[in-house]
Amino acid sequence: MNDEVILLDYWASPYGMRVKIALDEKGVDYECQAENLQNKSPLLLKSNPIHKTIPVLVHNGKPICESLIIVSYIDEVWHDKSPLLPSDPHQKSQALFWADYIDKKIYDVGRKVLWEKGEDQEMAKKESMEGMKKLEGELGNKRYFGGENLGFVDVALVPFTCWFYSIETRGNFSIEAECPKISSWAKRCVAERESIAKTLQDPHKLYDYYVKLNP
Amino acid sequence: MVKEEVVLVNFWSSPFGSRVKIALEEKGIHYEYKEEDIFNKTSFLSTINPIHNKVPVLIHNQRFICESLNIVEYIDEAWTDRSPQFLPSDPLHRSQARFWADFIDKQLYEASKKIYRGKGEEEQVNGKKEVLRILKLMEGELGEKAFFGGDNLGFVDITLIPFYSRFYTWETFGKFSIEEECPNLVAWAKRCMQKQSVANSLPDPLKIYDYIVSFDKYYDK
């Protein structure tokens, strides 16, 4: 049976990058439809009427929304290759826990560093570093968060690394200096996984795009 | 047979803890309940949930599982031999259940707090509008089904029903009737309450109201 897999995406979105990495890791052929966020397509509005956001995966006409939910879905449907979530319930719950932590304490807080000013921005910087250090502790000396192989938590976090440069520059601090293990892990991901190397956007291109929106 | 250690660490008013109670009771799992005073947190809590230092936490054979939806999914998988199954087996339906649970989790609690803790009338009115928007969307998603899970309680039912204890508080502060606005959803909630697992797990709405009112006074000090 021929699967029809369409990804509704926006080039700069780290959430969309999670889905692309997961699809590539599983060797799934898909069509990427780039959305104009100022003029969303009828397919996007129909597929995600609640949030109207990307990414959305449309698999044989059925939409799946929210990036981590999409990655779980991909892992379950194409379960025979490159498993991302552990099968053991406890280990799986830990992976889901850390992915949720990344969403709330890294992505949401990182956005505040970029978009807030003054005291709110200072607080976001502090929270951001605290969050990264906790992740550094969780990574420890493992090759990946998933152990020897790329896992769900790696896929959840790695797209955010191409936004590090923007956050460091706007926030005036260095993630590499504070979290060397995370920094090495990020480089390892790009060097060792083609899915990641070809998906992550150039940090400088992202910074130029961000500065135009928020000079 | 190895004796299983199952402990739920919770605070009585937490809707998140109620989710876990319902899940454990639905599966007929024996557990020990430990009340944690969230206004005087113990070092025990920081040991079992060092990252967030929050309840609920499930302890299963000395392993700690945190975050209520994570715990409910864990219970579903660790006791997979026991019915009912909360999440559907089909990946698409699983993703839909997770989507709605995530939607409720991210929006409902925060919106509801504005009704009684919003700064000024505008924020309070906005809170009420947001809560009604969310509940109407859920009512639409429920449709003609008895439960979100179909014939039985499912993941979405377990995620949403604990907030039923808070309807009285929201209605009293916000001066509105949820039953008038969302009759099918309230009918669903009453259906859920007929289940032992839910009736045993939800705190009394009047007790919740008194707690929130006195909490307000604590905040004003």
Side-chain angles (χ1 to χ4, degrees), chain A residues 18-54:
Chain A
R18 288 170 166 173
V19 180
K20 285 177 166 169
I21 292 165
L23 288 167
D24 279 347
E25 282 288 316
K26 303 281 187 173
V28 177
D29 282 320
Y30 68 99
E31 180 197 324
C32 189
Q33 182 174 299
E35 286 286 329
N36 175 353
L37 300 182
Q38 313 308 323
N39 188 19
K40 294 174 181 178
S41 72
L43 180 59
L44 175 57
L45 297 175
K46 185 180 109 176
S47 304
N48 192 356
I50 304 291
H51 300 304
K52 302 178 175 59
T53 51
I54 55 93

Side-chain angles (χ1 to χ4, degrees), chain A residues 48 50-51 62-66 69 72-73 76-77 87-94 96-98 100-101 103-105 134, chain B residues 49-52 63-67 70 73-74 77-78 90-92 94-96 98-100 102-103 105-107 133 137:
Chain A
N48 192 356
I50 304 291
H51 300 304
K62 305 278 188 211
I64 302 98
C65 307
E66 296 297 294
I69 293 174
S72 293
Y73 174 83
E76 289 173 9
V77 172
S87 42
D88 170 71
H90 181 242
Q91 286 174 15
K92 184 181 174 187
S93 76
Q94 289 187 308
L96 292 175
F97 173 87
W98 283 107
D100 176 66
Y101 181 85
D103 254 4
K104 293 183 172 126
K105 300 287 183 184
K134 292 223 162 92
Chain B
N49 190 354
I51 299 295
H52 297 303
R63 289 167 154 184
F64 318 131
I65 303 100
C66 309
E67 296 297 293
N70 211 11
E73 198 167 333
Y74 173 82
E77 293 190 355
D90 169 64
L92 181 67
R94 283 165 81 83
S95 75
Q96 287 170 343
R98 285 193 180 121
F99 174 85
W100 286 110
D102 177 69
F103 173 68
D105 226 24
K106 288 198 168 113
Q107 301 206 10
R133 182 189 78 99
L137 279 167

Side-chain angles (χ1 to χ4, degrees), chain B residues 23-82:
Chain B
L24 290 166
E25 301 237 356
E26 277 287 302
K27 295 267 196 191
I29 297 161
H30 290 297
Y31 68 99
E32 184 194 333
Y33 181 86
K34 273 201 172 114
E35 181 80 4
E36 173 82 23
D37 179 1
I38 58 171
F39 301 105
N40 278 302
K41 289 180 181 178
T42 62
S43 56
F44 174 65
L45 182 63
S46 62
T47 312
I48 62 177
N49 190 354
I51 299 295
H52 297 303
N53 203 32
K54 283 183 181 174
V55 295
V57 180
L58 188 78
I59 305 174
H60 182 207
N61 295 335
Q62 288 163 31
R63 289 167 154 184
F64 318 131
I65 303 100
C66 309
E67 296 297 293
S68 63
L69 294 186
N70 211 11
I71 300 172
V72 172
E73 198 167 333
Y74 173 82
I75 290 168
D76 209 23
E77 293 190 355
W79 286 274
T80 193
D81 51 327
R82 299 212 190 178

Side-chain angles (χ1 to χ4, degrees), chain A residues 73-178:
Chain A
Y73 174 83
I74 290 167
D75 201 35
E76 289 173 9
V77 172
W78 291 279
H79 52 82
D80 47 340
K81 193 181 173 194
S82 303
L84 296 171
L85 276 165
S87 42
D88 170 71
H90 181 242
Q91 286 174 15
K92 184 181 174 187
S93 76
Q94 289 187 308
L96 292 175
F97 173 87
W98 283 107
D100 176 66
Y101 181 85
I102 287 163
D103 254 4
K104 293 183 172 126
K105 300 287 183 184
I106 305 295
Y107 281 59
D108 285 352
V109 174
R111 251 209 304 275
K112 285 185 182 164
V113 175
L114 291 175
W115 297 101
E116 299 291 340
K117 295 204 161 29
E119 216 181 285
D120 288 338
Q121 191 192 43
E122 282 307 307
M123 228 168 70
K125 271 167 63 176
K126 193 166 162 268
E127 261 194 80
S128 193
M129 268 342 298
E130 278 166 11
M132 292 302 305
K133 282 182 175 161
K134 292 223 162 92
L135 282 172
E136 173 114 333
E138 172 57 20
L139 177 65
N141 292 319
K142 298 198 293 287
R143 182 167 206 81
Y144 297 106
F145 285 93
E148 280 304 302
N149 294 309
L150 204 71
F152 192 74
V153 179
D154 301 279
V155 174
L157 181 61
V158 81
F160 193 71
T161 63
C162 55
W163 276 97
F164 277 3
Y165 177 72
S166 298
I167 289 167
E168 287 170 317
T169 309
R170 185 49 58 111
N172 197 24
F173 63 105
S174 162
I175 294 169
E176 180 156 11
E178 305 272 350

